[in-house]
Amino acid sequence: MKILLSDKKNVFDKKITGISFSEKISESKFVIKDGLQILEIKIPKKEKINWRQAALIPRSIIATAKKHQIKKIALDWPDIEAMKMGNSQDVAESFGINFEMANYEFVAFKTKPKEGWDFIDEIQIFGYEKNDIKNALKKGQIIGQETNACRELSNMPGGEMTPEILVQKTEKAIKNTRIKMKVLDEKEMKKINMNAVLAVAKGSVEKPKFIILEHFGAKNKAEKPVVLIGKGVTFDSGGLNIKTGNGMADMNMDMSGGAAVVHTLILASKLGIKKNVIGLVPAVESMPSGESLRPGDIIKSMSGQTIEVQDTDAEGRIILADANTYAERYNPSLVVNVATLTGAACVALGERASAIFSKDEKLTDLFKKYGEESGDHVWPLPLWEEYEVEVKGINGDVCNIRNRANSRDGGAILGAIFVYQFAKKFPQWIHIDIAPRMVSVFDEFLSNGAAGAPVRLLIKLLEK
Ligand code: BES
Ligand code: ZN
Ligand code: ZN
């Protein structure tokens, strides 16, 4: 989508429909002003606007234009400026991001209609032409496009997004960036005792991959990096503890954390972020078969700690254990885990915020703040020491579910506490359970399917 800025007001032609904002109308409607067709779009009252609603305005513009099959639209910058959301660049960046996010749909497997897709081709913003705004809009678009690329990976059906394909897609996506990529295969993983990742992958004919991405943006190459770890379960059937009923639906998206890490690194490279950032994605498929991991099996993880598997469906935390151990070799300043880890996080928070877990209160507050500003909302749950007894193993060191039989209580917390057992050496550690934000909510003007969390939050973090 092209976004053009102009200081002239006479940009309308027959192919372009103007849009104006109104607090008074209850639904979008066409009006004729000065002989021009203007689409009026409902916005919240100015005094009530916050970042949450500000993100919805550009999205509703796109959604409304799509509904009316308008390809080119024009907006008045003073209208946008009047919302007083903060400084003009922040507003422009947010508009750039959300225009792009609303203009995305997963059409890779659909036949193109004769009249073409109803995506918006062009937006003209007039009444303002300054480089700072132009640049902020452009930057917003890049962030939006990369978030969409993350959504595209997540939306892929399980059969089209195996660990192998994730590697290929990542290789392709990092072309034209300066990211270094390494991939460990099964043999290399065996050599370094990455047994937890291998154990989860055992039941599938698809071989596991461990993806390593490196962005050295700091002046000093030796500067301690931020390590981002993303759960890359390309399909979560549950394994021998197979998911029942509708539980397996959307489990092609169980690599959403991995996709977010891949595209955050690409963004860091594209935006020239002056930090060292490492991305780690353990990629596996979890399937039931004669070779599967069994309930009761005990895995000797890469850290040396043994994992007692009481439920093969709690597989994400098992692969994250080894990924965190692997991260130690980078001597990181901060480690961030991103994973669609538990259905329990959805029970706790609904669909509108990811759950975050950290021992560091300042870091937690920072994530809340960046979450609010970026639109990737997060909310903290406890990571207290007291919970640790609940994941003590009976025959092994740690148990991968709550060790009081048949209890689902505190599921999101226990997932986090389990992974934390492998992350105690890091100076700062935070885990984001993005299961609640895996797919979009009906009223946020995004297409159904993957929501792209938390790419926008992570890039804000790396920028600051
Ligand atoms: N990938 C799922 C969690 C999930 C569920 C993400 C729904 C998004 C939407 C995870 O691997 C899982 O199966 N977790 C179990 C854990 C349980 C066995 C302790 C769960 O949430 O039920
Ligand atoms: Zn699972
Ligand atoms: Zn899973």
Side-chain angles (χ1 to χ4, degrees):
M1 173 176 37
K2 249 193 283 175
I3 302 185
L4 305 168
L5 272 122
S6 158
D7 57 356
K8 294 191 197 70
K9 264 224 156 198
N10 55 346
V11 290
F12 287 119
D13 62 36
K14 286 190 206 89
K15 287 177 255 148
I16 293 175
T17 297
I19 289 189
S20 75
F21 306 134
S22 173
E23 291 174 355
K24 288 166 212 118
I25 58 168
S26 57
E27 237 180 80
S28 64
K29 62 168 185 189
F30 276 107
V31 293
I32 304 291
K33 266 189 208 163
D34 306 326
L36 288 167
Q37 196 186 26
I38 304 285
L39 183 55
E40 281 198 324
I41 286 188
K42 184 188 142 202
I43 59 161
K45 284 216 181 327
K46 281 198 183 85
E47 57 276 13
K48 277 196 179 162
I49 284 185
N50 56 25
W51 282 114
R52 256 160 224 266
Q53 276 126 11
L56 296 182
I57 294 167
R59 289 187 192 169
S60 73
I61 291 171
I62 297 286
T64 312
K66 276 167 90 175
K67 200 171 79 191
H68 293 279
Q69 271 149 6
I70 296 165
K71 292 279 172 199
K72 297 185 177 189
I73 54 183
L75 303 166
D76 209 343
W77 176 260
D79 270 2
I80 300 173
E81 184 76 19
M83 287 177 229
K84 289 272 170 282
M85 276 307 304
N87 77 52
S88 305
Q89 274 124 303
D90 288 348
V91 176
E93 185 180 314
S94 168
F95 266 65
I97 292 174
N98 290 297
F99 279 141
E100 287 290 345
M101 285 186 74
N103 206 26
Y104 167 82
E105 273 173 51
F106 183 55
V107 295
F109 295 91
K110 279 188 181 164
T111 304
K112 193 172 178 175
K114 270 198 208 91
E115 60 284 7
W117 305 114
D118 54 3
F119 295 120
I120 310 307
D121 294 331
E122 188 178 315
I123 301 176
Q124 297 203 5
I125 298 177
F126 58 85
Y128 198 93
E129 194 201 13
K130 287 238 170 88
N131 277 338
D132 54 344
I133 297 299
K134 234 184 220 169
N135 295 341
L137 267 165
K138 185 75 220 156
K139 182 180 161 202
Q141 279 191 278
I142 294 172
I143 296 172
Q145 286 159 1
E146 219 54 57
T147 307
N148 291 345
C150 163
R151 295 163 75 192
E152 182 78 6
L153 287 185
S154 300
N155 279 327
M156 285 288 180
E160 308 287 337
M161 182 47 66
T162 60
E164 171 78 48
I165 299 173
L166 182 59
V167 168
Q168 289 164 5
K169 296 255 182 202
T170 305
E171 270 167 355
K172 209 171 148 202
I174 64 161
K175 271 191 188 145
N176 306 322
T177 73
R178 291 166 65 187
I179 292 172
K180 292 205 187 103
M181 177 169 173
K182 250 188 310 189
V183 181
L184 307 184
D185 63 15
E186 207 179 13
K187 231 165 116 192
E188 289 160 304
M189 283 189 238
K190 269 185 193 146
K191 243 188 256 164
I192 57 171
N193 296 317
M194 229 182 219
N195 299 321
V197 178
L198 291 166
V200 174
K202 272 197 314 182
S204 171
V205 292
E206 299 294 341
K207 296 296 176 206
K209 305 282 174 193
F210 192 84
I211 303 172
I212 303 157
L213 301 173
E214 298 174 337
H215 163 77
F216 290 109
K219 274 204 192 96
N220 175 7
K221 216 188 147 189
E223 193 178 288
K224 289 186 176 183
V226 174
V227 177
L228 308 178
I229 301 177
K231 171 177 173 181
V233 175
T234 59
F235 189 77
D236 179 10
S237 68
L240 287 179
N241 290 108
I242 195 161
K243 288 183 182 290
T244 54
N246 204 35
M248 224 182 287
D250 286 345
M251 281 302 113
N252 59 309
M253 294 189 204
D254 211 18
M255 34 56 73
S256 296
V261 166
V262 167
H263 284 287
T264 301
L265 260 105
I266 295 175
L267 250 184
S269 178
K270 285 189 175 169
L271 299 179
I273 300 252
K274 293 190 172 42
K275 277 207 185 72
N276 296 335
V277 190
I278 309 295
L280 303 176
V281 181
V284 299
E285 184 179 59
S286 175
M287 285 292 194
S289 81
E291 285 171 282
S292 287
L293 182 63
R294 308 163 190 82
D297 279 356
I298 298 174
I299 310 163
K300 187 154 180 105
S301 73
M302 190 177 170
S303 69
Q305 291 182 84
T306 55
I307 299 170
E308 183 172 344
V309 180
Q310 287 196 9
D311 192 322
T312 61
D313 197 12
E315 82 300 335
R317 64 197 73 182
I318 302 179
I319 63 172
L320 290 180
D322 276 356
N324 276 273
T325 304
Y326 190 85
E328 286 174 16
R329 66 182 60 196
Y330 287 99
N331 192 20
S333 57
L334 163 68
V335 175
V336 184
N337 279 229
V338 187
T340 47
L341 206 69
T342 65
C346 309
V347 176
L349 292 174
E351 297 177 293
R352 295 177 194 270
S354 298
I356 52 170
F357 303 84
S358 178
K359 292 274 186 195
D360 192 316
E361 259 177 55
K362 273 200 190 125
L363 191 65
T364 304
D365 288 344
L366 215 57
F367 267 65
K368 274 176 71 182
K369 178 173 176 288
Y370 294 157
E372 189 67 26
E373 290 171 5
S374 68
D376 276 329
H377 305 293
V378 296
W379 204 256
L381 290 174
L383 193 69
W384 300 327
E385 213 176 330
E386 290 86 332
Y387 288 105
E388 295 193 16
V389 292
E390 299 178 31
V391 293
K392 280 260 173 305
I394 297 159
N395 299 320
D397 296 332
V398 268
C399 174
N400 81 327
I401 55 169
R402 191 167 195 235
N403 57 18
R404 316 238 161 126
N406 282 328
S407 169
R408 304 181 71 85
D409 295 358
I413 299 170
L414 293 186
I417 281 282
F418 176 93
V419 184
Y420 179 64
Q421 304 311 301
F422 300 84
K424 290 189 171 176
K425 291 184 183 161
F426 304 128
Q428 278 186 307
W429 183 81
I430 189 160
H431 159 62
I432 316 179
D433 190 335
I434 57 166
R437 295 295 304 140
M438 186 172 80
V439 297
S440 61
V441 193
F442 72 97
D443 61 354
E444 59 181 342
F445 298 108
L446 294 180
S447 60
N448 287 339
V455 173
R456 290 168 292 158
L457 163 61
L458 292 176
I459 206 66
K460 206 166 258 282
L461 171 81
L462 295 176
E463 265 184 331
K464 297 290 163 84

